[in-house]
Amino acid sequence: MQKINIYKIFPSGIFAMIIVLFIFTCSAAPQQTNYKSFYPGQIWLDTNGKPINAHGGGILYYDSVYYWFGEHKIAGPAGNKAMVGVHVYSSSDLFNWEDMGIALPISDDSTNDIAKGCVLERPKVIYNKMTGKFIMWFHLELKSQGYASARTCVAVSDSPAGPYKYLYSFRPDAGEWPINVTEEDKIAAKDNYLERDFEGGQMSRDMTLYVDSDGEAYHIYTSEENRTTHISQLTSDYLKPGGKYMRVFINRNMEAPAVFKHDDKYYYIGSGTTGWDPNAARSASAPSIWGPWKELGNPCVGDDSALTFHSQSTFILKVPGKENAYIFMADRWKPQNPIDGRYIWLPIQFNDGKLVIEWKDEWDLGWFDGLK
Ligand code: DGJ
């Protein structure tokens, strides 16, 4: 067969130009996305072809639309500080996400609680049916104070994607004892952080929000120097702690809480406390939000399960309209280059009252239909 000499057809200059044009077109054009599956741990592009930037996130489902709120991270180690704010994306199918912008920007005023350079983590948004408002809570560390301030922050909006108006930051449950306090808990002693923080408010770091089927909402936060978790009921407008709270997982050093309810039973998934490094997930269940909470061990199984597949929990999404369909959402942190942190979304299975999470390279919502 006669060989075709491409250089005879195109003089070499034109050939080089075609190659350069081809490379330019490929790199300049946004990558089109039309996902039909989840690919845990892979770069996840939004509908503009840009990697989704919503870490430590949570999902709000409102009016048939999903809103994914998360920490906007930037490149380099400084990216663990809040330099931009809370990012929000929307989706109708959970696979393809449109960038809706920054729902809550940090402030350029260095005296503001959410000043540029503060630590803003794990934003969660819930909808209050009574007031018609969207309420955002997140963990806040004031600028230049490391992780010492351990505050929670509240912002509010009239529409799901924002813009959100910053209201205040504080330490929750000041001047209140938990419902399961003991007389010993009230006595000042070394390492008695509950008593130490009684007046000023309890430390509040990693957190989530949970709205129960009766409309009551709860703030679940890692407290007492990361040793003990608190579950705190909110006021009916979801804007403040209502004064009733409980200590759970006492001295178990758990963080990254996520809570959901299935078949009238409450479930918790969280982690141990090893900074940005992954550890084995923890799980627990209870007949009521107020316990008694029984630990069920690490729900992850298989390779890398002892490190939660190199990730840390952030939220559990109950998929509307599907039975027994719950998605475990977690972050694979990249502390040296936080913008490159990845998302691990996996289906939750129930086995004999326990939770089971298995790794999947690729899966879609049809997976839940196989459960019936
Ligand atoms: C683990 C927490 O879960 C994260 O949200 C963050 O606070 C890091 N620790 C900081 O080291």
Side-chain angles (χ1 to χ4, degrees), residues 71 119 121-122 139 147 206 255-256 271 274-276 312 333:
E71 305 158 26
V119 170
E121 291 180 340
R122 299 180 178 273
H139 165 203
Y147 275 78
D206 279 11
E255 61 180 5
S271 72
T274 50
W276 299 113
Q312 188 183 31
W333 304 115

Side-chain angles (χ1 to χ4, degrees), residues 293-366:
W293 285 91
K294 183 177 163 232
E295 283 197 48
L296 303 171
N298 182 358
C300 301
V301 295
D303 287 353
D304 288 335
S305 56
L307 293 178
T308 315
F309 314 116
H310 301 274
S311 71
Q312 188 183 31
S313 42
T314 183
F315 193 74
I316 290 149
L317 173 68
K318 175 169 180 16
V319 183
K322 278 191 182 282
E323 253 180 78
N324 306 327
Y326 301 86
I327 300 177
F328 170 73
M329 291 169 52
D331 293 281
R332 186 172 284 174
W333 304 115
K334 298 270 179 77
Q336 297 311 316
N337 190 28
I339 194 172
D340 191 34
R342 303 293 170 83
Y343 312 106
I344 309 294
W345 288 26
L346 292 167
I348 295 179
Q349 303 171 57
F350 299 87
N351 186 2
D352 209 11
K354 290 191 172 185
L355 307 176
V356 178
I357 303 171
E358 267 174 359
W359 179 257
K360 305 217 171 314
D361 287 332
E362 179 185 351
W363 66 285
D364 61 37
L365 297 175

Side-chain angles (χ1 to χ4, degrees), residues 197-224:
D197 294 332
F198 174 75
E199 268 177 36
Q202 299 296 326
M203 298 180 90
S204 176
R205 290 200 180 119
D206 279 11
M207 57 143 277
T208 194
L209 298 177
Y210 172 68
V211 182
D212 209 340
S213 37
D214 61 0
E216 295 294 344
Y218 301 87
H219 176 213
I220 296 115
Y221 59 92
T222 301
S223 193
E224 302 181 37

